[in-house]
Amino acid sequence: MSWGTELWDQYDNLALHTQKGIDFLDKYGNFVRDRCAIELEYASKLRRLVKNYQPKKKEEEDYEYTSWQAFRNVLKEIGDLAGQREIVAETLQAKVIHGISLLSKNLRDDRKKSLTEGAQLTHTLTNQIAALERAKRNYDKSYRDAEKSIENYQKADADLNLSRADVEKHKHNMTMKCQQSDDSKNEYANQLQKSNKLQQTHYETSLPEVFNRLQEIDEKRTKGLKEFIKSAADAESSVAPIIARCLEGIVKASESIDEKEDSLKVIERYKSGFTPPTDIPFEDLSKVDAESSNYSSQNNLGINNMTQKGTMGATKLKKRVGIFGIFGSNKEDFSDLPPNQRRKKLMAKIQEIQQKITQETAAYDGLVKMKGVYEANTMLGDPTTVDAQLNESGSRLEKLKSELKKFKMYLDAANNAQMMQHSPQQHRNMYNGQRSSRHSNGSGENEDGEDNPDDAGSLSSSASPESGLGTSHTSLPGSGQGSANDNTHPEDMYYEAELLQPLGTCKALYPFDATSEGSIPMAEGEELQVIELDQGDGWTRVRRMCGASGWEEGFVPTSYIESTLYA
């Protein structure tokens, strides 16, 4: 079925139909364009939402809790969702809107060309029909004139009163009119033949070809619309797996929330380390002597001092201010803080100094290399210009090392003071608490929420949000943070000898070459034990059962492994 055969007389309707079809294609293009704008606006608002709810600097410490961490992961997944909506908009813009614009332009040009050709064919046929009508009118007039001239000649020939000249005149007029009639007849017959032939060609060949081209244009438009609608659906379905993974990530974030772990972190964060006040002794005033009065005063003073920064004094509730909005300190060694909080502050300060030492050491080494290059080729620079910078860098490095030694001494003193408050039995309980705590969450805490006095090397490896040391492993174990600690205590050695219980297993997804101190290499597919989870810095501590001591520990990139934690 073709338009040229079935719709031979519907030129105007076909012209209108094809115009409406192209207009409809443009209408769908406008629909997709508006949808792209909505997708981009949606993605923009999602990104703005994520940005508005990103943790502020003052809230970073609160994100050690699993619920807060889960919310941060949710924000990350929502940001990824926004990115997928942007991809959908970009795909629609590139594949659908651009394609519709190009197809619409081509269809309009082809339609205009076909309709112009059809109009020319119709005009040619109309002119031929008009010529036929003129030839017919001329033939009709000449025929009537010929008949009239014949009739006049017959009358003149029968009239005896007319002269022979008049009769000959009528005869000549009759002959001329009859000749004109024959000529008009032949012209009419010729025009009729041409008109019939042109009309046959017009309606059987020329115009059907135009209509068939219009049919092809309309079918091309319809097929293009079909492909564009499918492309729009494909743009959505192509990102559906990623969106599904984002939603799975949100579900996993919700499943990672552990209310018990958060409760333990609250204890670790706010515990002062003070022991509860003992019973207030009864003072028998009838038997009070000077010695007992002094002892009682001293005892009460000790109790007041002990509970000064606690939650409840002997007589009334007192507020605590300062660190985390609770404790405050104005002293360099933080000696005015409660024991547990003091040790947290000191450990954080030590890690901060160690990071600065690492950075300064890298800068110093860079200057040394630069000086060597200048000495090898004086065209590049003057080596003496680097000496002043080397001296300044060396001076800063020595100052930082001096500060590190000083704060390590403060930490040793705080650890010794903490040890003095416990009996031998409590020491053993603390050791057990240390092991059980590490088994549960990978941190170096005992049952009372107090960090064990590991050496400087263990500070870096156990830095976790709940220990107050932040979430960065800028200096990995073995990078100078405790490998040469001269102030190691027996307790430290005891803790170092303790093997952390594995939290699960992991499989290496990719090979990794250890390029920094504290990291260990691994081969693709290798099975390792997870002994400390990623604290937000992108590194996971693992153990390999090999080596001279029977095991080897170190850090590997979290993104290179697939972990399976024990239930």
Side-chain angles (χ1 to χ4, degrees), residues 222-251:
T222 305
K223 182 179 179 181
L225 182 63
K226 171 184 176 182
E227 293 176 350
F228 291 136
I229 293 176
K230 183 176 181 297
S231 297
D234 291 341
E236 184 82 20
S237 61
S238 64
V239 301
I242 302 177
I243 293 177
R245 286 199 294 270
C246 291
L247 297 178
E248 290 175 1
I250 294 176
V251 173

mmCIF file of all heavy atoms in Angstrom, residues 222-251:
data_model
loop_
_atom_site.group_PDB
_atom_site.id
_atom_site.type_symbol
_atom_site.label_atom_id
_atom_site.label_comp_id
_atom_site.label_asym_id
_atom_site.label_seq_id
_atom_site.Cartn_x
_atom_site.Cartn_y
_atom_site.Cartn_z
ATOM 1 N N THR A 222 8.490 8.735 11.785
ATOM 2 C CA THR A 222 7.886 7.829 12.770
ATOM 3 C C THR A 222 8.925 6.867 13.334
ATOM 4 O O THR A 222 8.983 6.635 14.549
ATOM 5 C CB THR A 222 6.742 7.030 12.116
ATOM 6 O OG1 THR A 222 5.807 7.947 11.539
ATOM 7 C CG2 THR A 222 6.040 6.170 13.148
ATOM 8 N N LYS A 223 9.757 6.303 12.464
ATOM 9 C CA LYS A 223 10.801 5.387 12.923
ATOM 10 C C LYS A 223 11.813 6.112 13.806
ATOM 11 O O LYS A 223 12.282 5.572 14.816
ATOM 12 C CB LYS A 223 11.508 4.771 11.719
ATOM 13 C CG LYS A 223 12.575 3.761 12.076
ATOM 14 C CD LYS A 223 13.219 3.173 10.831
ATOM 15 C CE LYS A 223 14.307 2.170 11.198
ATOM 16 N NZ LYS A 223 14.958 1.608 9.984
ATOM 17 N N GLY A 224 12.156 7.352 13.439
ATOM 18 C CA GLY A 224 13.083 8.125 14.260
ATOM 19 C C GLY A 224 12.526 8.390 15.641
ATOM 20 O O GLY A 224 13.248 8.278 16.647
ATOM 21 N N LEU A 225 11.231 8.722 15.706
ATOM 22 C CA LEU A 225 10.613 8.946 17.013
ATOM 23 C C LEU A 225 10.658 7.674 17.858
ATOM 24 O O LEU A 225 10.917 7.721 19.071
ATOM 25 C CB LEU A 225 9.168 9.412 16.811
ATOM 26 C CG LEU A 225 8.388 9.738 18.088
ATOM 27 C CD1 LEU A 225 9.040 10.903 18.818
ATOM 28 C CD2 LEU A 225 6.932 10.068 17.757
ATOM 29 N N LYS A 226 10.438 6.539 17.205
ATOM 30 C CA LYS A 226 10.513 5.256 17.909
ATOM 31 C C LYS A 226 11.900 5.036 18.500
ATOM 32 O O LYS A 226 12.045 4.660 19.675
ATOM 33 C CB LYS A 226 10.173 4.134 16.929
ATOM 34 C CG LYS A 226 10.408 2.732 17.455
ATOM 35 C CD LYS A 226 10.127 1.711 16.357
ATOM 36 C CE LYS A 226 10.455 0.306 16.826
ATOM 37 N NZ LYS A 226 10.224 -0.692 15.755
ATOM 38 N N GLU A 227 12.949 5.309 17.714
ATOM 39 C CA GLU A 227 14.318 5.116 18.192
ATOM 40 C C GLU A 227 14.681 6.112 19.287
ATOM 41 O O GLU A 227 15.387 5.774 20.242
ATOM 42 C CB GLU A 227 15.288 5.250 17.012
ATOM 43 C CG GLU A 227 15.139 4.133 15.986
ATOM 44 C CD GLU A 227 16.046 4.344 14.785
ATOM 45 O OE1 GLU A 227 16.633 5.444 14.680
ATOM 46 O OE2 GLU A 227 16.145 3.417 13.946
ATOM 47 N N PHE A 228 14.185 7.342 19.169
ATOM 48 C CA PHE A 228 14.491 8.351 20.187
ATOM 49 C C PHE A 228 13.840 8.012 21.525
ATOM 50 O O PHE A 228 14.439 8.209 22.587
ATOM 51 C CB PHE A 228 14.048 9.731 19.711
ATOM 52 C CG PHE A 228 14.857 10.261 18.567
ATOM 53 C CD1 PHE A 228 14.258 10.874 17.474
ATOM 54 C CD2 PHE A 228 16.246 10.130 18.556
ATOM 55 C CE1 PHE A 228 15.004 11.356 16.420
ATOM 56 C CE2 PHE A 228 17.006 10.609 17.501
ATOM 57 C CZ PHE A 228 16.375 11.219 16.425
ATOM 58 N N ILE A 229 12.614 7.517 21.471
ATOM 59 C CA ILE A 229 11.952 7.112 22.723
ATOM 60 C C ILE A 229 12.711 5.957 23.368
ATOM 61 O O ILE A 229 12.915 5.914 24.591
ATOM 62 C CB ILE A 229 10.486 6.725 22.451
ATOM 63 C CG1 ILE A 229 9.697 7.960 22.014
ATOM 64 C CG2 ILE A 229 9.856 6.101 23.689
ATOM 65 C CD1 ILE A 229 8.261 7.676 21.637
ATOM 66 N N LYS A 230 13.167 5.009 22.549
ATOM 67 C CA LYS A 230 13.948 3.889 23.069
ATOM 68 C C LYS A 230 15.288 4.372 23.626
ATOM 69 O O LYS A 230 15.743 3.915 24.678
ATOM 70 C CB LYS A 230 14.185 2.860 21.959
ATOM 71 C CG LYS A 230 14.931 1.615 22.420
ATOM 72 C CD LYS A 230 15.046 0.614 21.287
ATOM 73 C CE LYS A 230 15.768 -0.655 21.745
ATOM 74 N NZ LYS A 230 17.151 -0.380 22.162
ATOM 75 N N SER A 231 15.922 5.339 22.942
ATOM 76 C CA SER A 231 17.196 5.874 23.424
ATOM 77 C C SER A 231 17.029 6.572 24.764
ATOM 78 O O SER A 231 17.895 6.482 25.644
ATOM 79 C CB SER A 231 17.771 6.849 22.396
ATOM 80 O OG SER A 231 18.065 6.196 21.182
ATOM 81 N N ALA A 232 15.904 7.257 24.917
ATOM 82 C CA ALA A 232 15.635 7.914 26.203
ATOM 83 C C ALA A 232 15.497 6.883 27.316
ATOM 84 O O ALA A 232 15.996 7.071 28.438
ATOM 85 C CB ALA A 232 14.379 8.770 26.098
ATOM 86 N N ALA A 233 14.828 5.775 27.007
ATOM 87 C CA ALA A 233 14.702 4.703 28.007
ATOM 88 C C ALA A 233 16.056 4.056 28.282
ATOM 89 O O ALA A 233 16.369 3.718 29.431
ATOM 90 C CB ALA A 233 13.694 3.660 27.519
ATOM 91 N N ASP A 234 16.872 3.880 27.221
ATOM 92 C CA ASP A 234 18.205 3.293 27.408
ATOM 93 C C ASP A 234 19.084 4.185 28.270
ATOM 94 O O ASP A 234 19.894 3.697 29.069
ATOM 95 C CB ASP A 234 18.867 3.057 26.051
ATOM 96 C CG ASP A 234 18.199 1.946 25.261
ATOM 97 O OD1 ASP A 234 17.493 1.137 25.881
ATOM 98 O OD2 ASP A 234 18.373 1.905 24.029
ATOM 99 N N ALA A 235 18.951 5.499 28.101
ATOM 100 C CA ALA A 235 19.728 6.426 28.934
ATOM 101 C C ALA A 235 19.397 6.253 30.403
ATOM 102 O O ALA A 235 20.273 6.351 31.278
ATOM 103 C CB ALA A 235 19.456 7.869 28.493
ATOM 104 N N GLU A 236 18.139 5.958 30.686
ATOM 105 C CA GLU A 236 17.728 5.730 32.078
ATOM 106 C C GLU A 236 18.193 4.360 32.568
ATOM 107 O O GLU A 236 18.704 4.222 33.677
ATOM 108 C CB GLU A 236 16.207 5.831 32.169
ATOM 109 C CG GLU A 236 15.647 5.717 33.570
ATOM 110 C CD GLU A 236 15.707 7.028 34.316
ATOM 111 O OE1 GLU A 236 15.822 8.082 33.668
ATOM 112 O OE2 GLU A 236 15.665 6.991 35.554
ATOM 113 N N SER A 237 18.021 3.346 31.707
ATOM 114 C CA SER A 237 18.367 1.991 32.142
ATOM 115 C C SER A 237 19.871 1.794 32.274
ATOM 116 O O SER A 237 20.326 0.946 33.038
ATOM 117 C CB SER A 237 17.798 0.964 31.154
ATOM 118 O OG SER A 237 18.339 1.158 29.862
ATOM 119 N N SER A 238 20.673 2.577 31.527
ATOM 120 C CA SER A 238 22.126 2.414 31.608
ATOM 121 C C SER A 238 22.675 2.784 32.978
ATOM 122 O O SER A 238 23.698 2.259 33.401
ATOM 123 C CB SER A 238 22.806 3.259 30.523
ATOM 124 O OG SER A 238 22.566 4.638 30.744
ATOM 125 N N VAL A 239 22.006 3.720 33.641
ATOM 126 C CA VAL A 239 22.465 4.122 34.984
ATOM 127 C C VAL A 239 21.709 3.396 36.083
ATOM 128 O O VAL A 239 22.026 3.571 37.265
ATOM 129 C CB VAL A 239 22.330 5.648 35.170
ATOM 130 C CG1 VAL A 239 23.137 6.384 34.131
ATOM 131 C CG2 VAL A 239 20.871 6.082 35.111
ATOM 132 N N ALA A 240 20.705 2.598 35.712
ATOM 133 C CA ALA A 240 19.913 1.901 36.732
ATOM 134 C C ALA A 240 20.765 0.990 37.615
ATOM 135 O O ALA A 240 20.585 0.977 38.839
ATOM 136 C CB ALA A 240 18.785 1.100 36.062
ATOM 137 N N PRO A 241 21.729 0.212 37.045
ATOM 138 C CA PRO A 241 22.565 -0.625 37.934
ATOM 139 C C PRO A 241 23.366 0.198 38.940
ATOM 140 O O PRO A 241 23.507 -0.193 40.101
ATOM 141 C CB PRO A 241 23.485 -1.374 36.956
ATOM 142 C CG PRO A 241 22.763 -1.361 35.654
ATOM 143 C CD PRO A 241 22.039 -0.058 35.629
ATOM 144 N N ILE A 242 23.880 1.351 38.493
ATOM 145 C CA ILE A 242 24.659 2.187 39.409
ATOM 146 C C ILE A 242 23.747 2.781 40.478
ATOM 147 O O ILE A 242 24.109 2.844 41.659
ATOM 148 C CB ILE A 242 25.381 3.300 38.626
ATOM 149 C CG1 ILE A 242 26.281 2.684 37.557
ATOM 150 C CG2 ILE A 242 26.197 4.182 39.554
ATOM 151 C CD1 ILE A 242 26.988 3.690 36.685
ATOM 152 N N ILE A 243 22.554 3.211 40.066
ATOM 153 C CA ILE A 243 21.599 3.725 41.049
ATOM 154 C C ILE A 243 21.235 2.638 42.041
ATOM 155 O O ILE A 243 21.119 2.881 43.250
ATOM 156 C CB ILE A 243 20.349 4.271 40.328
ATOM 157 C CG1 ILE A 243 20.721 5.507 39.501
ATOM 158 C CG2 ILE A 243 19.245 4.592 41.319
ATOM 159 C CD1 ILE A 243 19.575 6.079 38.699
ATOM 160 N N ALA A 244 21.072 1.404 41.538
ATOM 161 C CA ALA A 244 20.761 0.288 42.435
ATOM 162 C C ALA A 244 21.894 0.063 43.433
ATOM 163 O O ALA A 244 21.650 -0.196 44.625
ATOM 164 C CB ALA A 244 20.505 -0.985 41.623
ATOM 165 N N ARG A 245 23.152 0.190 42.962
ATOM 166 C CA ARG A 245 24.277 0.034 43.886
ATOM 167 C C ARG A 245 24.309 1.167 44.909
ATOM 168 O O ARG A 245 24.680 0.942 46.065
ATOM 169 C CB ARG A 245 25.579 -0.029 43.102
ATOM 170 C CG ARG A 245 25.792 -1.344 42.371
ATOM 171 C CD ARG A 245 27.253 -1.553 41.996
ATOM 172 N NE ARG A 245 27.701 -0.585 41.015
ATOM 173 C CZ ARG A 245 27.614 -0.772 39.703
ATOM 174 N NH1 ARG A 245 27.075 -1.883 39.223
ATOM 175 N NH2 ARG A 245 28.059 0.154 38.865
ATOM 176 N N CYS A 246 23.926 2.363 44.470
ATOM 177 C CA CYS A 246 23.858 3.479 45.426
ATOM 178 C C CYS A 246 22.817 3.188 46.508
ATOM 179 O O CYS A 246 23.059 3.438 47.694
ATOM 180 C CB CYS A 246 23.511 4.776 44.697
ATOM 181 S SG CYS A 246 24.819 5.392 43.604
ATOM 182 N N LEU A 247 21.684 2.667 46.088
ATOM 183 C CA LEU A 247 20.652 2.329 47.070
ATOM 184 C C LEU A 247 21.123 1.191 47.978
ATOM 185 O O LEU A 247 20.843 1.182 49.190
ATOM 186 C CB LEU A 247 19.361 1.940 46.347
ATOM 187 C CG LEU A 247 18.725 3.045 45.494
ATOM 188 C CD1 LEU A 247 17.489 2.524 44.782
ATOM 189 C CD2 LEU A 247 18.374 4.242 46.364
ATOM 190 N N GLU A 248 21.859 0.227 47.402
ATOM 191 C CA GLU A 248 22.422 -0.837 48.227
ATOM 192 C C GLU A 248 23.428 -0.256 49.226
ATOM 193 O O GLU A 248 23.506 -0.695 50.379
ATOM 194 C CB GLU A 248 23.112 -1.877 47.350
ATOM 195 C CG GLU A 248 22.145 -2.711 46.514
ATOM 196 C CD GLU A 248 22.887 -3.651 45.576
ATOM 197 O OE1 GLU A 248 24.145 -3.658 45.612
ATOM 198 O OE2 GLU A 248 22.220 -4.376 44.816
ATOM 199 N N GLY A 249 24.197 0.747 48.773
ATOM 200 C CA GLY A 249 25.125 1.398 49.684
ATOM 201 C C GLY A 249 24.416 2.079 50.832
ATOM 202 O O GLY A 249 24.899 2.078 51.969
ATOM 203 N N ILE A 250 23.260 2.696 50.541
ATOM 204 C CA ILE A 250 22.486 3.334 51.606
ATOM 205 C C ILE A 250 21.985 2.287 52.597
ATOM 206 O O ILE A 250 22.017 2.483 53.815
ATOM 207 C CB ILE A 250 21.315 4.128 51.000
ATOM 208 C CG1 ILE A 250 21.867 5.303 50.180
ATOM 209 C CG2 ILE A 250 20.369 4.623 52.080
ATOM 210 C CD1 ILE A 250 20.797 6.100 49.461
ATOM 211 N N VAL A 251 21.538 1.140 52.056
ATOM 212 C CA VAL A 251 21.075 0.066 52.947
ATOM 213 C C VAL A 251 22.234 -0.453 53.809
ATOM 214 O O VAL A 251 22.090 -0.671 55.017
ATOM 215 C CB VAL A 251 20.456 -1.080 52.120
ATOM 216 C CG1 VAL A 251 20.135 -2.272 53.002
ATOM 217 C CG2 VAL A 251 19.203 -0.595 51.405
#
